[in-house]
């Protein structure tokens, strides 16, 4: 059975958000992509006070200078499509007020007929937390714990009640409700985050960094789930940040998902063998415009299906 494929929506500054998001969303759904995805980058500090991913000296990519707000982007895509799931990989959830985020996602799910997938992470940027987060960076794990609790409460039956550190909801009616229970997936890259995933989430959002490493991570997560007595399956959506180029990349230094459509598909084949439930391809960063994004996305999709992915 073929692995479902998703496509990252255009959010970067080379795209016209109002025109290109609906256009690319419609084209992706027509081409066969089964889901559409956004990510979150709230700002671009200049000068940078912290390296990319918190790694000292690692520069932020220029493509992060302008990234469209993810829920607005998903709403544009929802209005332009009928079937494709609408996911985030990831929302930096603690940057948002928990009640407001829960209600926004519920409204989007109700409006789209039950197509939302809520992918959350804690993020790493101190500047983003200083600008937007209700709680400080040091409390990001506890903030995510409470946000998940608030989402479950708001999306569940009325009356809704929650008495937490950030959100305090007295007995209340909160609507609209989601069309169905919204799945929560977590990025979860360390031990405490993975325990949170196993105990409180529906799935996992790994990032592709090589098939062997992915297989080892997936094996470790399944072992942790067994140790903690989890019986329900963990849904997996692999994020692939591809760097497409028209000509094949030559040389021993090629990184996974860097190069021509054929090279990207060869890496997809290797990663699909690990057994992910779905693969999200984000192709947007190096491309010129929406026309090129649609063209490359269609080529990669067709070649992936021909290769058995």
């Amino acid at each position: 059975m073929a692995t479902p494929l998703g496509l990252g929506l255009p959010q970067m500054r080379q795209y016209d958000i109002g025109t290109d998001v609906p256009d690319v969303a419609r084209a992706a759904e027509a081409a066969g992509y089964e889901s559409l995805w956004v990510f979150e980058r709230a700002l671009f500090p200049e000068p940078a006070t912290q390296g990319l991913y918190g790694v000292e000296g690692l520069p932020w990519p220029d493509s992060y200078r302008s990234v469209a707000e993810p829920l607005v982007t998903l709403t544009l895509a929802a209005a332009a499509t009928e079937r494709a799931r609408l996911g985030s990989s990831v929302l930096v959830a603690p940057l948002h007020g928990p009640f407001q985020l829960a209600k926004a996602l519920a409204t989007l799910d109700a409006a789209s007929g039950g197509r939302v997938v809520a992918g959350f992470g804690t993020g790493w940027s101190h500047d983003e937390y200083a600008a937007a987060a209700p709680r400080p960076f040091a409390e990001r794990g506890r903030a995510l714990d409470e946000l998940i609790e608030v989402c479950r409460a708001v999306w569940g039956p009325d009356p809704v009640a929650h008495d937490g550190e950030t959100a305090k909801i007295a007995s209340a009616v909160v609507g609209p409700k989601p069309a169905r229970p919204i799945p929560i997936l977590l990025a979860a890259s360390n031990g405490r985050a993975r325990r949170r995933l196993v105990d409180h989430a529906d799935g996992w959002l790994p990032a592709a960094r090589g098939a062997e490493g992915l297989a080892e991570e997936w094996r470790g997560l399944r072992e942790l789930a067994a140790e903690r007595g989890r019986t329900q399956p963990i849904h997996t959506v692999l994020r692939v940040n591809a760097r497409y180029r028209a000509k094949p990349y030559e040389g021993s230094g090629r990184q996974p998902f860097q190069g021509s459509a054929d090279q990207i598909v060869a890496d997809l084949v290797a990663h699909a063998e690990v057994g992910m439930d779905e693969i999200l391809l984000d192709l947007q960063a190096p491309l010129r415009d929406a026309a090129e994004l649609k063209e490359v996305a269609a080529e990669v999709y067709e070649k992936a299906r021909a290769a058995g992915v």
Side-chain angles (χ1 to χ4, degrees):
M1 182 177 178
T3 303
L5 295 177
L7 184 69
L9 290 165
Q11 292 176 263
M12 296 175 179
R13 63 179 179 174
Q14 68 266 43
Y15 301 103
D16 182 314
I17 302 303
T19 300
D20 291 347
V21 170
D23 185 30
V24 170
R26 282 190 292 266
E29 188 176 69
Y33 284 96
E34 297 180 50
S35 55
L36 302 166
W37 296 82
V38 292
F39 74 104
E40 183 158 35
R41 196 81 284 133
L43 49 73
F44 187 97
E46 196 170 45
T49 58
Q50 180 188 19
L52 184 70
Y53 311 131
V55 178
E56 186 176 355
L58 187 63
W60 290 48
D62 196 58
S63 57
Y64 282 178
R65 286 184 177 275
S66 177
V67 176
E69 202 284 329
L71 294 184
V72 172
T73 304
L74 279 185
T75 301
L76 290 167
T81 56
E82 297 178 355
R83 301 178 304 280
R85 293 183 300 280
L86 307 162
S88 55
S89 178
V90 295
L91 288 177
V92 185
L95 299 184
H96 303 261
F99 180 82
Q100 293 94 327
L101 181 58
K103 180 151 185 174
L105 289 168
T107 302
L108 181 58
D109 193 73
S112 65
R115 294 192 278 148
V116 171
V117 179
F120 296 153
T122 55
W124 46 266
S125 169
H126 293 212
D127 294 280
E128 290 183 336
Y129 271 78
R135 294 170 66 169
F137 183 81
E139 298 178 11
R140 62 195 182 281
R142 284 161 51 198
L144 179 55
D145 288 336
E146 183 179 3
L147 189 141
I148 293 171
E149 292 174 2
V150 171
C151 283
R152 301 290 195 203
V154 167
W155 300 341
D158 294 320
V160 174
H162 176 82
D163 186 10
E165 294 181 76
T166 302
K168 297 185 182 298
I169 310 169
S171 180
V173 174
V174 182
K177 298 296 184 185
R180 91 298 189 221
I182 298 174
I184 294 176
L185 280 62
L186 300 179
S189 59
N190 60 46
R192 181 176 296 179
R194 290 182 181 179
R195 289 191 293 274
R196 177 186 297 115
L197 187 161
V198 166
D199 294 344
H200 301 297
D202 300 294
W204 181 40
L205 292 168
R209 289 182 287 268
E212 290 184 7
L214 176 66
E216 184 176 347
E217 285 187 90
W218 180 217
R219 183 167 50 252
L221 186 60
R222 295 197 307 271
E223 290 172 355
L224 178 63
E227 290 171 8
R228 299 182 73 82
R230 178 176 176 131
T231 56
Q232 65 268 42
I234 296 172
H235 185 77
T236 54
V237 181
L238 176 68
R239 166 173 270 278
V240 168
N241 295 316
R243 304 289 299 184
Y244 171 84
R245 53 188 287 175
K247 295 182 179 180
Y249 185 96
E250 298 179 359
S252 58
R254 187 181 79 88
Q255 298 298 310
F257 300 104
Q258 179 186 57
S260 66
D262 289 327
Q263 288 176 317
I264 291 171
V265 168
D267 292 329
L268 278 176
V269 170
H271 284 72
E273 290 174 353
V274 175
M276 297 288 99
D277 293 310
E278 187 166 359
I279 298 175
L280 147 66
L281 277 167
D282 197 318
L283 296 157
Q284 66 178 303
L287 304 184
R288 293 186 307 273
D289 53 27
E292 187 177 24
L293 176 55
K294 290 188 294 182
E295 180 181 346
V296 172
E299 180 185 7
V300 171
Y301 184 89
E302 291 173 3
K303 290 185 173 182
R305 289 301 182 232
V309 176

